[in-house]
Amino acid sequence: MSSAARSSSPELLSGPVAICVDRPLLALDRPFTYELPAELGAGVGSLVQVPFHGRAIRGWVLGSTDDIPARMLAVRKVVSPVRFFDAGLLSVLQWVSERYVAPLASVISRAVPPRVVGEEVAGVRGGAVAPLAMPSPTPLLHGPPAVLGRYTGGERLLSAVTEGGGNFVVRPAPGDEVAVAVEAVAAALAAGRSAVVLVPEADPFPATAVALQHAFGDLVAMFLGGDKRARYRMWLDIGAGMYRVVIGTRPAVFAPVGGLGLLYVAREGHTQHREERSPYYHVRDVAIERARAAGGVCVMSAVCPSLESSMVDHVEVAHVGRAWPPVEVVKPGVEGRAPRLVRALRDARRAFLYEPMRGYGMARVCKACSEPAACAACRGPLRSEEGQVRCTVCGAEGRCANCGASTFGLARGGVERVEEWARGVASVPVTRLGPKDTPRPPGEAEVLVGGLESLKDLGPVGVDLVGILNADAALRRPGMSSRERALSAWMEAAAWARVDGRVIVQTNRPNDPAVQALVTGRPERFARAEIPRLAEAGFPPGIPVFRVMGNTELEDALAELRPRTMLATALGDETVCLLALEPGDVAMFGRAVRELAERGIVTRVEAEPHL
Ligand SMILES: [Zn+2]
Ligand SMILES: [Zn+2]
């Protein structure tokens, strides 16, 4: 990556250059050589126009090449004065292309926001990754660290951020999530390095982002949301070296900021850190690679770190001693109302009740014909939500599969039902946060009821009581990572309680490793039990997984590559294969898959699918 000593005018190239053509297809995913005339004034990262199979298309200059074909066509023109990457950033983009078996063209397109040509003309030109133009702020770190000084590995993290590298998994104590991020970024800035902070969501605006902007003001680029023009303007300004801290969602991991000392992944286990379109990269992995390439630190922060992060070579950073509220485990009781929770709710001034199930209840039986309730359209289960009964599978209005009637006997349970009974118990007002409400912490005298969509980065919350309902249902959900997601949600909810507050979890499985991890505040207890379980299923965490689609020859072709695990499903003429690979085999696999794509056997590759 660039250093402060780097010249501000980007290097010009001429002669044979490697071009990545803007055709995001695995079958064309290799560099093509063209002659670059010196007078075009182009270089690494330039967007140019080249002739390709008789047509004029765009492509990016990757660098000089010795791979000279018998017949070499010339680059026609330069399309933009902007350099979209430099050699350092290109190496990260190429790593993404290889690791996720994705065309380099789609990686580049995803790493750079859509162009707004007007901003290019008006703006700064050249140098995708700028040298640091901003001065280091001085009045930032005085005295010993405020938060990380109380963490094992905290001093080690701060010194690495100052002048070293490596991976750190940080487990913030309740209420510390934001402060830890601010302190780590402050250390990078004080050492003259820059930082990229990756948050999973832009809405609601994460408390971590608010605090960083408050702490570092004009040094901070908010690369979060905004319209197309504003996003592109911000990206150009970052590339011009106008900022020292970049805060953003996934694409910010490629932000063209120089002098990187810290890549900080907030809530690293969050599902939104995975890109849902090609290239299906995970921000955590890219951040680790970019930090490695830049000689900086990657921090993975989460109250409940992911199993994947536990497989990465890292230093653990966690609060010294116990910094976790007491967690009481009780049996659910009638309709999920344990007497102890009911009593605690009566006394609580500020409380949060976490209920993962939506709605008011599930339809059990048809009131007209007494048959078990099922959707008339697809036989799926029916749920009552916001006063309406609908199918949870196809979304159709609830009609009995047997007689077409639309009144059902309900098995009550879900966030609306919890709101109802909590109103009858609590001595302060009860509010339910629906999926469309803006997440917020409970007010001064309030009980808040909500599901997964309530658990956002809201800063320190500190309520008297957190109730975790329906824990057993969350554990029973299908999917290989459902147990991990359940625990992560419980721990985020529990972290809303004051350390001297109360957490009450309702479960019939007190000895389940996930429940034990919640009780102790130690997710590693869960990891020790869960990792062997996933390994036995063929998909241990931290192992590259791909979903590959293709024709009827696909299964045999992929079996020849000897994947660690392969599950194949045929759907008519299409075959879908789910594979787990040994990490060292990804490059070989990628070459083979690109060849199979050229032969039409592979049609699509999706990396790291949610399992
Ligand atoms: Zn249905
Ligand atoms: Zn019926």
Side-chain angles (χ1 to χ4, degrees):
M1 205 74 16
S2 72
S3 71
R6 190 171 156 271
S7 146
S8 59
S9 56
E11 199 188 331
L12 301 181
L13 291 180
S14 61
V17 291
I19 300 275
C20 170
V21 295
D22 188 10
R23 284 287 177 275
L25 298 168
L26 279 174
L28 294 176
D29 189 28
R30 60 176 182 277
F32 293 87
T33 303
Y34 288 86
E35 172 78 23
L36 179 66
E39 62 271 21
L40 291 185
V44 173
S46 289
L47 183 63
V48 295
Q49 191 191 75
V50 293
F52 190 76
H53 294 304
R55 296 175 55 196
I57 66 166
R58 288 175 178 189
W60 296 271
V61 177
L62 304 179
S64 296
T65 180
D66 302 328
D67 184 11
I68 318 277
R71 197 171 80 96
M72 185 163 52
L73 299 172
V75 173
R76 288 207 181 134
K77 64 175 186 182
V78 174
V79 176
S80 164
V82 173
R83 297 285 186 95
F84 291 92
F85 46 82
D86 66 1
L89 195 50
L90 175 59
S91 76
V92 175
L93 301 174
Q94 284 169 326
W95 179 90
V96 171
S97 168
E98 175 168 293
R99 166 62 186 81
Y100 297 103
V101 188
L104 182 60
S106 62
V107 179
I108 296 172
S109 313
R110 202 61 79 200
V112 173
R115 294 174 63 219
V116 177
V117 175
E119 293 297 325
E120 291 179 2
V121 176
V124 196
R125 56 154 293 166
V129 175
L132 295 177
M134 297 290 286
S136 295
T138 39
L140 282 171
L141 266 192
H142 281 304
V147 184
L148 284 166
R150 297 194 299 269
Y151 280 62
T152 55
E155 298 282 359
R156 198 164 157 200
L157 167 61
L158 291 173
S159 92
V161 169
T162 303
E163 54 178 354
N167 301 320
F168 293 77
V169 173
V170 177
R171 203 144 56 76
D176 280 359
E177 181 181 12
V178 167
V180 167
V182 171
E183 200 161 291
V185 170
L189 293 178
R193 300 171 108 184
S194 56
V196 170
V197 179
L198 298 147
V199 294
E201 298 169 292
D203 184 26
F205 208 69
T208 300
V210 175
L212 288 165
Q213 191 164 46
H214 183 75
F216 310 116
D218 292 346
L219 300 174
V220 176
M222 280 294 173
F223 195 48
L224 266 179
D227 64 12
K228 193 176 158 189
R229 177 173 292 274
R231 272 186 83 71
Y232 194 54
R233 178 75 260 154
M234 180 55 87
W235 182 84
L236 288 170
D237 289 346
I238 293 168
M242 290 172 64
Y243 299 99
R244 300 289 304 279
V245 182
V246 177
I247 302 171
T249 49
R250 295 181 301 271
V253 77
F254 303 110
V257 57
L260 266 179
L262 174 65
L263 283 110
Y264 194 101
V265 187
R267 306 209 151 192
E268 59 86 22
H270 200 288
T271 52
Q272 296 290 316
H273 278 312
R274 184 224 182 209
E275 177 59 74
E276 297 289 342
R277 302 165 293 185
S278 175
Y280 300 85
Y281 64 85
H282 197 290
V283 158
R284 180 201 307 117
D285 302 338
V286 183
I288 290 169
E289 172 59 19
R290 194 162 179 204
R292 193 200 59 74
V297 164
C298 179
V299 169
M300 295 158 261
S301 164
V303 173
C304 177
S306 64
L307 296 176
E308 279 80 10
S309 74
S310 74
M311 305 306 284
V312 175
D313 189 21
H314 71 270
V315 175
E316 191 169 284
V317 182
H319 200 281
V320 178
R322 188 182 165 100
W324 192 246
V327 178
E328 303 158 58
V329 180
V330 297
K331 286 203 179 297
V334 179
E335 251 194 46
R337 274 175 293 169
R340 201 190 305 182
L341 178 65
V342 170
R343 283 195 301 275
L345 195 56
R346 199 169 288 142
D347 297 338
R349 293 284 299 164
R350 285 183 83 211
F352 175 59
L353 297 179
Y354 174 70
E355 164 59 65
M357 300 262 289
R358 293 163 47 176
Y360 185 79
M362 301 301 290
R364 204 167 32 86
V365 67
C366 170
K367 277 193 174 166
C369 73
S370 302
E371 284 293 304
C375 169
C378 77
R379 304 208 61 91
L382 302 172
R383 171 165 47 214
S384 169
E385 188 169 10
E386 309 285 355
Q388 278 193 321
V389 177
R390 289 195 169 275
C391 173
T392 60
V393 177
C394 74
E397 230 171 90
R399 300 221 168 274
C400 171
N402 185 48
C403 75
S406 56
T407 48
F408 301 92
L410 295 177
R412 294 193 293 188
V415 75
E416 291 174 26
R417 172 60 186 147
V418 173
E419 176 194 20
E420 186 178 71
W421 68 249
R423 284 217 165 116
V425 172
S427 42
V428 294
V430 175
T431 315
R432 175 171 57 88
L433 278 183
K436 291 193 184 100
D437 296 324
T438 303
R440 60 174 177 84
E444 261 328 301
E446 184 181 37
V447 172
L448 213 54
V449 182
L452 194 60
E453 66 280 353
S454 311
L455 297 173
K456 303 295 181 185
D457 176 3
L458 302 175
V461 176
V463 297
D464 307 334
L465 170 69
V466 170
I468 295 172
L469 291 84
N470 231 331
D472 296 345
L475 286 178
R476 276 196 306 269
R477 290 232 166 105
M480 259 181 262
S481 54
S482 60
R483 290 170 53 78
E484 183 182 358
R485 283 206 300 274
L487 173 61
S488 166
W490 300 343
M491 289 192 71
E492 282 177 14
W496 278 16
R498 298 195 318 262
V499 171
D500 60 350
R502 285 179 89 175
V503 177
I504 298 178
V505 54
Q506 300 193 145
T507 175
N508 286 308
R509 298 158 72 171
N511 295 321
D512 189 291
V515 175
Q516 283 302 306
L518 172 67
V519 169
T520 56
R522 297 191 173 281
E524 62 271 23
R525 291 182 73 145
F526 170 74
R528 273 203 300 275
E530 192 71 359
I531 290 169
R533 198 181 76 87
L534 295 173
E536 201 165 302
F539 295 92
I543 291 282
V545 177
F546 293 91
R547 182 179 285 136
V548 183
M549 279 137 273
N551 67 16
T552 49
E553 293 171 59
L554 181 68
E555 186 177 353
D556 290 343
L558 293 180
E560 273 179 38
L561 305 176
R562 304 197 162 278
R564 181 190 171 113
T565 307
M566 183 162 91
L567 306 173
T569 323
L571 301 160
D573 291 342
E574 197 185 45
T575 307
V576 181
C577 293
L578 189 64
L579 301 94
L581 304 179
E582 299 299 340
D585 287 350
V586 173
M588 170 278 291
F589 173 77
R591 283 191 298 275
V593 162
R594 283 171 172 88
E595 219 169 90
L596 293 170
E598 269 187 73
R599 290 160 55 197
I601 295 172
V602 164
T603 52
R604 214 162 89 87
V605 179
E606 191 186 330
E608 304 302 298
H610 295 296
L611 296 176

